[in-house]
Amino acid sequence: MQVLGAFVAQLMEWLLLGLGRSAAFFAGLPGAYPPVRIDGLQCSCLYALLLLAAAWMFGIWRGARWGVLALVLVFTGTAARNTDRRNGQVCFTVYDDRNTTTLSIERGRALLVFGDVNDPWSQRKVEAHRLAHGVDTVQWSPAGPGSLRYGELVVQIDPDVAQGPPCRPDVVVLTHDRRWAMDRMAAAWKPSTQVVLGPSMPARRRSHVRGWCAAHGVAVHDVKEQGAYVRTDARGVDTLAPGAR
């Protein structure tokens, strides 16, 4: 029995390895992740469409063809609506990397990534984002201090109070170990300004900034503790400040 048990266990291990490798092979083929995403309503339409199409083909219900036509119209209409909404939507993300700060702006099916280091860990995060959202193109750019503006939403990265007039940001991303002049910077903020602490900031500095934000009633998101920061805006990217390139 022991020999039989060991043989069955080894056989199951081989089967699992084969399943994993075959899944990885097909996932790596071109077009394995088409840039098509459907919502719950469209998924329900597809299931109902299959049932009505079968009823029509086998002559179970004469009115099934009209149901098929109606569902096709509903599916195409919702698909057009979702595509239009997606093309006009912008998603700003600060990834939960290990020790580097990686940000991205997603517009439609294009993803613009700003990263300190283009390492395998960051690439996996961005690739997971691309696959989940059906992104077609990904472009990497060096990260640096500056402002990202899209519509009325302004994101400021590592602001320097000595550089020019304030831009009244909606989101402030702090990434490095600096003695931030929080009181001076906050003088240019809106009441609704949010602070995001990147993973490259040391723990002691993050703790200090979190304490300051709590004392002054400023919303703060610590990527190290709370995971990735995501903010979606439907008005589209207007400008990209030169300092952020």
Side-chain angles (χ1 to χ4, degrees), residues 3-214:
V3 175
L4 180 60
F7 173 75
V8 172
Q10 186 64 48
L11 180 61
M12 293 299 296
E13 181 180 352
W14 288 339
L15 289 174
L16 290 175
L17 287 174
L19 179 62
R21 290 176 179 176
S22 62
F25 170 76
F26 287 108
L29 292 176
Y33 288 90
V36 176
R37 299 296 181 269
I38 62 175
D39 56 21
L41 176 60
Q42 291 174 310
C43 184
S44 301
C45 283
L46 287 177
Y47 280 116
L49 184 62
L50 290 174
L51 293 175
L52 288 176
W56 181 16
M57 292 177 60
F58 292 102
I60 300 176
W61 179 36
R62 291 183 178 181
R65 59 180 179 179
W66 299 111
V68 169
L69 178 60
L71 287 176
V72 168
L73 292 176
V74 171
F75 185 86
T76 54
T78 55
R81 180 201 62 189
N82 292 346
T83 300
D84 180 70
R85 182 173 58 188
R86 177 190 174 90
N87 289 338
Q89 179 176 283
V90 171
C91 180
F92 171 73
T93 304
V94 181
Y95 297 99
D96 53 339
D97 283 343
R98 292 176 175 176
N99 298 310
T100 61
T101 299
T102 306
L103 312 93
S104 73
I105 292 179
E106 176 190 347
R107 185 180 187 184
R109 300 197 185 280
L111 188 66
L112 180 59
V113 183
F114 302 89
D116 293 333
V117 181
N118 189 356
D119 59 9
W121 177 265
S122 300
Q123 290 176 2
R124 284 196 293 269
K125 290 285 184 179
V126 173
E127 181 65 9
H129 183 163
R130 185 188 72 81
L131 295 177
H133 289 226
V135 172
D136 283 338
T137 59
V138 178
Q139 179 182 350
W140 285 79
S141 297
S147 298
L148 305 175
R149 303 174 183 267
Y150 45 100
E152 298 178 2
L153 188 63
V154 179
V155 179
Q156 198 171 38
I157 305 171
D158 289 336
D160 188 342
V161 294
Q163 292 181 352
C167 65
R168 293 185 60 78
D170 296 282
V171 181
V172 176
V173 183
L174 304 179
T175 66
H176 294 97
D177 186 11
R178 292 176 55 185
R179 293 183 179 274
W180 301 103
M182 301 298 295
D183 293 326
R184 293 179 61 190
M185 291 192 304
W189 296 353
K190 302 176 182 179
S192 58
T193 295
Q194 294 181 300
V195 174
V196 179
L197 307 182
S200 57
M201 179 182 289
R204 184 170 58 180
R205 186 66 62 194
R206 291 202 314 273
S207 177
H208 171 75
V209 176
R210 286 201 310 269
W212 183 93
C213 291

